[in-house]
């Protein structure tokens, strides 16, 4: 009985506290998060955090997802994340992963990306947030953001990989979620978009169409960079300036 009384009292206290909140007030920002904006419009957030010891996580969020696609581009926002991992100007082919493997960073566990209706996020975690680790991570993220090479042979190879992803999603979950999405997004453009795209576009879209989508939407004002971890903040500032400030 005593335990029940304590639970009721705690619930009552929580309800009273929530009743005093003004839903119109913005949620206060973490005072330990430092934010900045480069002259080209790119926003960044830095949060120093010592746990886990020595580790750092990097995210670059692009305000570009399936909702930005026109009818002939459905699936290309997701296709771009595959192409980012297939070679950039400074890291041809998959040499970016070889550079990361030197620091014990593995594709999937430490490096990944996801595309949604409204955005695409690339994530990279480094176990040792040294200057070298930060330099490599931010260099690679800059390349993903601005310098994907779109090699035709890599583009053709990725088609079937994405088709297989599409097949894996065509189970009972898709049959349930399809009508739910139509209902959820009725009256908006999101109703007719899916991050995986249309199978015909995936199979037939020319590489030039994907490149044009990339050049149209992957611009600094559509990007937000997040750094969290046990790194030197002055070094982070220096490297952000070096790798991102000069992009037009």
């Amino acid at each position: 009985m005593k335990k029940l009384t304590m639970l009721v009292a705690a619930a009552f206290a929580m309800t009273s506290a929530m009743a005093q909140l003004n839903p119109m007030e913005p949620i206060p920002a973490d005072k330990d998060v430092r934010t900045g904006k480069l002259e080209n419009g790119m926003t960044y957030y830095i949060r120093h955090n010592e746990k886990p010891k020595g580790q750092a996580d990097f995210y670059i969020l692009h305000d570009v997802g399936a909702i930005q696609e026109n009818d002939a581009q459905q699936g290309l926002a997701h296709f771009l994340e595959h192409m980012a991992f297939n070679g950039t100007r400074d890291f041809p082919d998959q040499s970016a992963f070889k550079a990361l493997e030197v620091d014990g960073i593995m594709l999937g566990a430490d490096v990944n990306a996801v595309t949604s209706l409204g955005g695409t996020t690339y994530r990279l975690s480094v176990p040792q947030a040294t200057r070298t680790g930060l330099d490599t991570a931010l260099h690679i993220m800059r390349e993903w953001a601005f310098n994907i090479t779109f090699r035709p042979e890599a583009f053709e190879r990725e088609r079937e990989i994405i088709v297989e992803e599409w097949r894996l999603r065509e189970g009972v979950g898709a049959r349930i979620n399809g009508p739910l999405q139509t209902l959820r997004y009725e009256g908006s453009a999101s109703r007719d978009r899916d991050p995986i795209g249309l199978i015909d576009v995936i199979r037939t879209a020319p590489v030039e169409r994907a490149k044009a989508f990339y050049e149209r939407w992957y611009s600094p004002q559509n990007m937000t960079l997040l750094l969290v971890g046990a790194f030197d903040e002055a070094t982070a500032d220096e490297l952000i300036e070096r790798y991102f400030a000069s992009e037009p």
Side-chain angles (χ1 to χ4, degrees):
M1 181 63 72
K2 183 178 179 181
K3 187 174 182 181
L4 178 60
T5 302
M6 291 174 63
L7 288 171
V8 171
F12 180 76
M14 184 181 297
T15 303
S16 300
M18 292 177 64
Q20 295 173 20
L21 296 176
N22 182 352
M24 301 307 293
E25 289 183 358
I27 297 173
D30 183 342
K31 61 181 176 57
D32 294 322
V33 173
R34 184 163 57 81
T35 184
K37 194 166 190 176
L38 302 177
E39 289 187 8
N40 59 16
M42 182 176 181
T43 301
Y44 62 89
Y45 294 88
I46 296 176
R47 175 62 156 88
H48 189 87
N49 180 40
E50 288 291 335
K51 296 180 181 180
K53 186 68 176 177
Q55 184 173 312
D57 293 291
F58 303 79
Y59 299 84
I60 188 164
L61 285 63
H62 300 265
D63 291 332
V64 185
I67 199 66
Q68 273 71 39
E69 300 166 343
N70 62 34
D71 289 345
Q73 297 171 332
Q74 293 188 62
L76 295 187
H78 173 241
F79 214 132
L80 290 188
E81 70 171 75
H82 281 250
M83 293 310 299
F85 296 157
N86 272 278
T88 64
R89 182 191 65 192
D90 291 354
F91 295 95
D93 302 324
Q94 296 187 334
S95 60
F97 299 123
K98 292 181 174 63
L100 293 171
E101 285 170 2
V102 172
D103 291 323
I105 299 165
M106 302 299 294
L107 178 63
D110 304 308
V111 185
N112 219 322
V114 62
T115 302
S116 65
L117 286 172
T120 304
T121 301
Y122 295 82
R123 178 185 66 83
L124 200 163
S125 297
V126 296
Q128 296 298 323
T130 61
R131 180 183 179 86
T132 301
L134 264 69
D135 190 295
T136 301
L138 289 173
H139 189 176
I140 290 172
M141 287 198 138
R142 190 277 305 276
E143 290 296 289
W144 290 341
F146 300 109
N147 295 315
I148 298 175
T149 51
F150 290 94
R151 292 180 300 117
E153 61 273 24
F155 191 81
E156 292 301 319
R157 184 173 63 246
E158 287 302 312
R159 289 190 198 274
E160 288 309 310
I161 294 173
I162 298 173
V163 166
E164 189 59 28
E165 282 189 35
W166 177 84
R167 284 198 187 100
L168 290 172
R169 298 185 188 195
E170 289 300 296
V172 64
R175 294 195 294 274
I176 294 172
N177 289 326
L180 286 176
Q181 175 159 317
T182 300
L183 180 64
R184 184 183 301 120
Y185 295 119
E186 183 62 40
S188 78
S190 299
R191 185 195 66 178
D192 301 316
R193 290 291 181 268
D194 188 318
I196 197 65
L198 294 180
I199 194 69
D200 288 343
V201 173
I202 296 166
R203 282 178 167 151
T204 64
V207 64
E208 291 79 11
R209 190 183 302 169
K211 187 175 181 180
F213 184 85
Y214 177 67
E215 293 175 346
R216 166 69 179 84
W217 292 105
Y218 273 50
S219 55
Q221 65 269 28
N222 289 334
M223 300 177 186
T224 302
L225 181 68
L226 287 79
L227 282 67
V228 181
F231 47 75
D232 178 72
E233 294 186 50
T235 300
D237 285 332
E238 175 195 336
L239 294 173
I240 290 170
E241 185 74 22
R242 177 195 300 178
Y243 287 118
F244 294 96
S246 63
E247 297 295 341

